[in-house]
Amino acid sequence: MIARYGTLPIVGWSMLLGGAMLLPFYAGQGTHIVITGNLLLAFFYLVVIGTSLTFSLYLKGAQMIGGPKASILSCAEPLSSAFLSLLLLGISFTLPDWLGTLLILSSVILISLDSRRRVKTV
């Protein structure tokens, strides 16, 4: 579908449908929202820059470099976020954090080993 329609329409429709499917779980919570200029600016940034643009760039990059490399990079993203939080924000890691880090590193290593094995057999 991405090859036929491009990344932006696919991302846009998937985000719209995902939000529509989650709406029944949020509707009727009694939240009163006051719409201001700052709220609209934050909403625009979150939707356009923080979600649509970044996900479109990820899909385009995955299309260019291939699935195995893209999956390795996507596994490394939570690690970089965690380590930057550790270094820049001073957040301390607990045992579950370290176990999650170990699991992510293990999956990255297994994916890269499998990719190398497949390249050698071809």
Side-chain angles (χ1 to χ4, degrees), residues 60-91:
K60 187 65 174 173
Q63 191 177 30
M64 292 170 57
I65 66 172
K69 290 180 183 176
S71 64
I72 291 171
L73 290 174
S74 69
C75 287
E77 187 273 329
L79 289 177
S80 63
S81 298
F83 285 126
L84 284 174
S85 297
L86 184 73
L87 295 175
L88 299 177
L89 301 176
I91 295 174

Short mmCIF file of all heavy atoms in Angstrom, two decimals, residues 60-91:
data_model
loop_
_atom_site.label_atom_id
_atom_site.label_comp_id
_atom_site.label_asym_id
_atom_site.label_seq_id
_atom_site.Cartn_x
_atom_site.Cartn_y
_atom_site.Cartn_z
N LYS A 60 9.33 5.77 5.34
CA LYS A 60 10.13 6.02 4.14
C LYS A 60 11.53 5.45 4.31
O LYS A 60 12.08 4.82 3.40
CB LYS A 60 10.18 7.53 3.86
CG LYS A 60 10.83 7.88 2.56
CD LYS A 60 10.01 7.36 1.41
CE LYS A 60 10.58 7.85 0.10
NZ LYS A 60 9.90 7.24 -1.04
N GLY A 61 12.12 5.64 5.49
CA GLY A 61 13.44 5.08 5.76
C GLY A 61 13.43 3.57 5.75
O GLY A 61 14.35 2.93 5.24
N ALA A 62 12.38 2.97 6.32
CA ALA A 62 12.26 1.51 6.33
C ALA A 62 12.14 0.97 4.92
O ALA A 62 12.69 -0.08 4.59
CB ALA A 62 11.07 1.08 7.17
N GLN A 63 11.44 1.70 4.08
CA GLN A 63 11.30 1.31 2.68
C GLN A 63 12.66 1.38 1.97
O GLN A 63 12.97 0.54 1.14
CB GLN A 63 10.28 2.23 2.01
CG GLN A 63 9.83 1.82 0.65
CD GLN A 63 8.77 2.78 0.11
OE1 GLN A 63 8.76 3.96 0.44
NE2 GLN A 63 7.89 2.26 -0.71
N MET A 64 13.47 2.36 2.35
CA MET A 64 14.78 2.55 1.69
C MET A 64 15.83 1.55 2.17
O MET A 64 16.60 1.04 1.37
CB MET A 64 15.27 3.97 1.91
CG MET A 64 14.44 5.02 1.20
SD MET A 64 14.82 6.72 1.68
CE MET A 64 16.53 6.85 1.32
N ILE A 65 15.87 1.26 3.47
CA ILE A 65 16.93 0.40 3.99
C ILE A 65 16.51 -1.05 4.18
O ILE A 65 17.36 -1.92 4.40
CB ILE A 65 17.50 0.93 5.33
CG1 ILE A 65 16.45 0.87 6.44
CG2 ILE A 65 18.06 2.32 5.17
CD1 ILE A 65 16.99 1.20 7.81
N GLY A 66 15.24 -1.34 4.12
CA GLY A 66 14.76 -2.72 4.25
C GLY A 66 14.27 -3.02 5.66
O GLY A 66 14.61 -2.34 6.62
N GLY A 67 13.50 -4.09 5.75
CA GLY A 67 12.86 -4.47 6.99
C GLY A 67 13.79 -4.84 8.13
O GLY A 67 13.61 -4.37 9.26
N PRO A 68 14.81 -5.69 7.89
CA PRO A 68 15.67 -6.10 9.02
C PRO A 68 16.41 -4.94 9.68
O PRO A 68 16.45 -4.84 10.90
CB PRO A 68 16.65 -7.08 8.38
CG PRO A 68 15.95 -7.61 7.19
CD PRO A 68 15.10 -6.48 6.69
N LYS A 69 16.97 -4.05 8.88
CA LYS A 69 17.68 -2.90 9.45
C LYS A 69 16.71 -1.96 10.16
O LYS A 69 17.02 -1.42 11.22
CB LYS A 69 18.45 -2.15 8.37
CG LYS A 69 19.64 -2.90 7.84
CD LYS A 69 20.35 -2.11 6.78
CE LYS A 69 21.49 -2.92 6.20
NZ LYS A 69 22.16 -2.22 5.10
N ALA A 70 15.53 -1.78 9.59
CA ALA A 70 14.54 -0.91 10.22
C ALA A 70 14.06 -1.49 11.55
O ALA A 70 13.85 -0.76 12.51
CB ALA A 70 13.34 -0.70 9.29
N SER A 71 13.94 -2.82 11.63
CA SER A 71 13.50 -3.42 12.90
C SER A 71 14.58 -3.30 13.96
O SER A 71 14.27 -3.10 15.14
CB SER A 71 13.12 -4.88 12.69
OG SER A 71 14.23 -5.65 12.28
N ILE A 72 15.85 -3.37 13.56
CA ILE A 72 16.93 -3.17 14.53
C ILE A 72 16.91 -1.74 15.06
O ILE A 72 17.02 -1.50 16.26
CB ILE A 72 18.30 -3.50 13.89
CG1 ILE A 72 18.40 -5.01 13.65
CG2 ILE A 72 19.45 -3.03 14.78
CD1 ILE A 72 19.60 -5.41 12.85
N LEU A 73 16.73 -0.78 14.16
CA LEU A 73 16.67 0.62 14.59
C LEU A 73 15.45 0.89 15.47
O LEU A 73 15.55 1.65 16.43
CB LEU A 73 16.67 1.54 13.37
CG LEU A 73 17.97 1.61 12.59
CD1 LEU A 73 17.80 2.45 11.33
CD2 LEU A 73 19.08 2.17 13.46
N SER A 74 14.33 0.27 15.15
CA SER A 74 13.14 0.51 15.98
C SER A 74 13.29 -0.12 17.35
O SER A 74 12.72 0.38 18.32
CB SER A 74 11.88 0.01 15.27
OG SER A 74 11.88 -1.41 15.20
N CYS A 75 14.05 -1.21 17.45
CA CYS A 75 14.31 -1.81 18.77
C CYS A 75 15.26 -0.93 19.59
O CYS A 75 15.20 -0.93 20.82
CB CYS A 75 14.92 -3.20 18.62
SG CYS A 75 13.75 -4.44 18.06
N ALA A 76 16.14 -0.22 18.92
CA ALA A 76 17.12 0.60 19.63
C ALA A 76 16.52 1.92 20.13
O ALA A 76 17.08 2.54 21.04
CB ALA A 76 18.31 0.88 18.73
N GLU A 77 15.41 2.35 19.59
CA GLU A 77 14.82 3.64 19.97
C GLU A 77 14.44 3.71 21.44
O GLU A 77 14.77 4.69 22.11
CB GLU A 77 13.62 3.95 19.07
CG GLU A 77 13.04 5.33 19.27
CD GLU A 77 12.01 5.38 20.37
OE1 GLU A 77 11.31 4.36 20.59
OE2 GLU A 77 11.90 6.42 21.02
N PRO A 78 13.77 2.70 22.01
CA PRO A 78 13.46 2.80 23.45
C PRO A 78 14.71 2.84 24.32
O PRO A 78 14.72 3.48 25.37
CB PRO A 78 12.63 1.54 23.74
CG PRO A 78 12.20 1.02 22.44
CD PRO A 78 13.15 1.51 21.42
N LEU A 79 15.76 2.17 23.86
CA LEU A 79 17.02 2.20 24.62
C LEU A 79 17.62 3.59 24.64
O LEU A 79 18.08 4.07 25.68
CB LEU A 79 18.02 1.21 24.03
CG LEU A 79 17.72 -0.26 24.25
CD1 LEU A 79 18.76 -1.12 23.55
CD2 LEU A 79 17.66 -0.57 25.71
N SER A 80 17.64 4.24 23.48
CA SER A 80 18.21 5.58 23.44
C SER A 80 17.39 6.54 24.30
O SER A 80 17.94 7.39 25.00
CB SER A 80 18.33 6.08 22.00
OG SER A 80 17.06 6.20 21.41
N SER A 81 16.06 6.40 24.28
CA SER A 81 15.21 7.25 25.12
C SER A 81 15.49 7.00 26.60
O SER A 81 15.57 7.94 27.40
CB SER A 81 13.74 6.97 24.83
OG SER A 81 13.42 7.29 23.52
N ALA A 82 15.62 5.73 26.96
CA ALA A 82 15.87 5.40 28.36
C ALA A 82 17.23 5.91 28.83
O ALA A 82 17.35 6.48 29.91
CB ALA A 82 15.79 3.88 28.56
N PHE A 83 18.25 5.73 28.00
CA PHE A 83 19.58 6.17 28.41
C PHE A 83 19.70 7.69 28.44
O PHE A 83 20.38 8.25 29.30
CB PHE A 83 20.66 5.55 27.53
CG PHE A 83 20.90 4.11 27.84
CD1 PHE A 83 20.84 3.15 26.86
CD2 PHE A 83 21.18 3.69 29.14
CE1 PHE A 83 21.05 1.81 27.14
CE2 PHE A 83 21.38 2.35 29.44
CZ PHE A 83 21.32 1.41 28.44
N LEU A 84 19.01 8.38 27.52
CA LEU A 84 19.01 9.84 27.58
C LEU A 84 18.28 10.33 28.82
O LEU A 84 18.69 11.32 29.43
CB LEU A 84 18.39 10.42 26.31
CG LEU A 84 19.28 10.38 25.07
CD1 LEU A 84 18.51 10.84 23.84
CD2 LEU A 84 20.52 11.23 25.26
N SER A 85 17.20 9.65 29.20
CA SER A 85 16.49 10.01 30.45
C SER A 85 17.39 9.77 31.65
O SER A 85 17.40 10.56 32.60
CB SER A 85 15.22 9.18 30.60
OG SER A 85 14.33 9.44 29.56
N LEU A 86 18.14 8.70 31.60
CA LEU A 86 19.06 8.38 32.68
C LEU A 86 20.16 9.44 32.81
O LEU A 86 20.44 9.93 33.90
CB LEU A 86 19.68 7.00 32.41
CG LEU A 86 20.60 6.41 33.45
CD1 LEU A 86 19.82 5.95 34.66
CD2 LEU A 86 21.37 5.25 32.85
N LEU A 87 20.74 9.83 31.67
CA LEU A 87 21.85 10.78 31.68
C LEU A 87 21.42 12.23 31.86
O LEU A 87 22.00 12.96 32.65
CB LEU A 87 22.66 10.65 30.39
CG LEU A 87 23.39 9.33 30.18
CD1 LEU A 87 24.03 9.30 28.80
CD2 LEU A 87 24.43 9.11 31.26
N LEU A 88 20.40 12.64 31.12
CA LEU A 88 20.03 14.06 31.10
C LEU A 88 19.04 14.45 32.20
O LEU A 88 19.09 15.57 32.70
CB LEU A 88 19.44 14.43 29.74
CG LEU A 88 20.38 14.25 28.53
CD1 LEU A 88 19.65 14.58 27.25
CD2 LEU A 88 21.63 15.10 28.69
N LEU A 89 18.16 13.54 32.56
CA LEU A 89 17.13 13.87 33.55
C LEU A 89 17.40 13.28 34.92
O LEU A 89 16.69 13.58 35.87
CB LEU A 89 15.76 13.38 33.05
CG LEU A 89 15.29 13.96 31.71
CD1 LEU A 89 13.99 13.33 31.28
CD2 LEU A 89 15.16 15.47 31.80
N GLY A 90 18.40 12.43 35.02
CA GLY A 90 18.76 11.86 36.31
C GLY A 90 17.79 10.82 36.82
O GLY A 90 17.72 10.56 38.02
N ILE A 91 17.02 10.21 35.92
CA ILE A 91 16.07 9.18 36.32
C ILE A 91 16.85 7.91 36.66
O ILE A 91 17.75 7.51 35.95
CB ILE A 91 15.05 8.92 35.20
CG1 ILE A 91 14.21 10.16 34.99
CG2 ILE A 91 14.20 7.70 35.48
CD1 ILE A 91 13.27 10.08 33.83
#
